[in-house]
């Protein structure tokens, strides 16, 4: 008889494939990889999260723009798809663990890895970060997938998140993260997309398929040094209790709105509202600006997101 009870005991008692080498220290700020930040080497423009939004978040300021029911549906859909992917990894025999919490006291970063798994080609350990998107919306799918002339690219915030994880995972001899996009609308099976992200020194690369060929793309706008430098600035501001200016614009003219929309800093939905006359340009703010999330300081009544430093 196959002793299922004993097998269950051995399974739940086995050593974890990855255990964090650090524990969180008391009274210390830790940054989350999903709020990673950088500045472009090319034009100095902000990339990723807004430094003021992260500052306010770490200072536990009250959120004035709460998550909506629609957002909750998207989050739940993401959880369901992640569970589906975990089940697929298990059936393929490559699954090791999921929801692995890791901390790096030297970098001041803590996060949770979606999936830890083996690469059956060389038996190395890799990580998968699972993201979902609505592939039935053409402008969304074109950004993730590609056009005839433009190769696919990951969303900046997701790329920064994966790179930040890679900085932590160096000490665990894990050097590659698979960023998997799953089309939650299931409009086309080929709308699922994979980016294999890795580092070479402080440079960032990712492999993906473009026109049925595997290509390698170097991220030339920022390096790991850019991310770490901005993190250090944020730590200094947190320790000194000095609120930073927001990275993204709070007040727009029509010209600046068009410019930032072309850079992907303004959503197409907001842009179209203004262009169709359904919304005044003065009511638009960058979707990565702290103003979209935080409201007023409950003690002073002052706005927590101003163009000038409080």
């Amino acid at each position: 008889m196959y002793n299922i009870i004993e097998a269950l005991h051995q399974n739940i008692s086995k050593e974890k494939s990855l255990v964090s080498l650090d524990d969180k220290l008391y009274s210390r700020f830790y940054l989350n990889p999903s709020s990673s930040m950088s500045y472009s080497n090319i034009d100095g423009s902000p990339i990723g999260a807004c430094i003021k939004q992260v500052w306010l978040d770490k200072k536990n300021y009250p959120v004035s723009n709460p998550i909506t029911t629609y957002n909750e549906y998207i989050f739940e859909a993401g959880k369901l798809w992640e569970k589906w992917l975990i089940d697929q990894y298990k059936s393929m025999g490559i699954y090791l663990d999921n929801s692995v919490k890791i901390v790096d006291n030297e970098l001041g970063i803590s996060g949770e890895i979606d999936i830890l798994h083996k690469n059956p080609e060389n038996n190395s350990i890799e990580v998968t970060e699972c993201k979902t998107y609505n592939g039935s919306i053409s402008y969304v799918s074109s950004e993730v997938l590609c056009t005839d002339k433009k190769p696919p690219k990951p969303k900046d915030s997701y790329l920064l998140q994966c790179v930040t994880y890679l900085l932590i995972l160096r000490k665990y001899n894990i050097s590659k993260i698979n960023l998997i996009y799953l089309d939650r609308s299931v409009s086309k099976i080929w709308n699922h997309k994979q980016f294999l992200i890795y580092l070479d020194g402080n440079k960032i690369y990712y492999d993906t398929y473009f026109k049925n060929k595997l290509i390698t793309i170097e991220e030339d706008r920022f390096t790991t040094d850019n991310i770490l430098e901005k993190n250090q600035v944020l730590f200094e501001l947190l320790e000194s209790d000095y609120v930073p200016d927001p990275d993204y614009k709070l007040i727009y003219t029509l010209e600046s709105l068009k410019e930032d929309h072309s850079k992907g800093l303004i959503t197409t939905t907001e842009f179209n509202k203004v262009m169709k006359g359904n919304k005044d340009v003065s009511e638009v703010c960058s979707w990565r600006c702290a103003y979209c999330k935080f409201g007023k300081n409950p003690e002073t009544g002052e706005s927590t997101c101003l163009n000038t430093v409080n």
Side-chain angles (χ1 to χ4, degrees), residues 72-87:
E72 292 288 0
Y73 278 126
I74 293 177
F75 295 153
E76 289 302 315
K79 293 177 184 177
L80 291 172
W81 274 108
E82 183 178 325
K83 182 182 182 303
W84 174 86
L85 188 61
I86 290 171
D87 289 341

Side-chain angles (χ1 to χ4, degrees), residues 95-127:
Y95 171 85
L96 292 173
D97 206 350
N98 67 280
S99 302
V100 181
K101 292 181 172 61
I102 53 175
V103 177
D104 191 305
N105 286 324
E106 182 181 351
L107 298 177
I109 301 170
S110 69
E112 185 172 291
I113 294 170
D114 286 347
I115 310 173
L116 191 71
H117 60 94
K118 293 183 293 185
N119 180 336
E121 295 179 339
N122 54 24
N123 212 36
S124 63
I125 297 178
E126 295 184 1
V127 166

